[in-house]
Amino acid sequence: MRAEDVRTVGIIGCGLMGSGIAETVARAGQTVVFLEASEELVERARARIETSTLRAVERGSAEAKRAFAKI
């Protein structure tokens, strides 16, 4: 398998490191699916990713704009 063949990335646990990975993968144009133990943790992860991505959009990052559209 080649890196360019990957279209979807799954992440188990979306704490600080997992959410950073999710954001990076989304910026690269891939689909991200993550799994957390509770709905509260899902919402926290989603908020962390959205906040970080919005900061990048405000700084003018084109990849972040594309990634934010997929969140």
Side-chain angles (χ1 to χ4, degrees), residues 43-56:
E43 291 305 316
R44 275 197 204 157
R46 187 174 182 83
R48 191 179 304 109
I49 294 165
E50 286 178 359
T51 300
S52 177
T53 305
L54 277 173
R55 272 193 229 120

Side-chain angles (χ1 to χ4, degrees), residues 32-50:
V32 180
V33 177
F34 70 85
L35 178 65
E36 265 299 353
S38 70
E39 193 60 36
E40 178 187 350
L41 293 174
V42 168
E43 291 305 316
R44 275 197 204 157
R46 187 174 182 83
R48 191 179 304 109
I49 294 165
E50 286 178 359

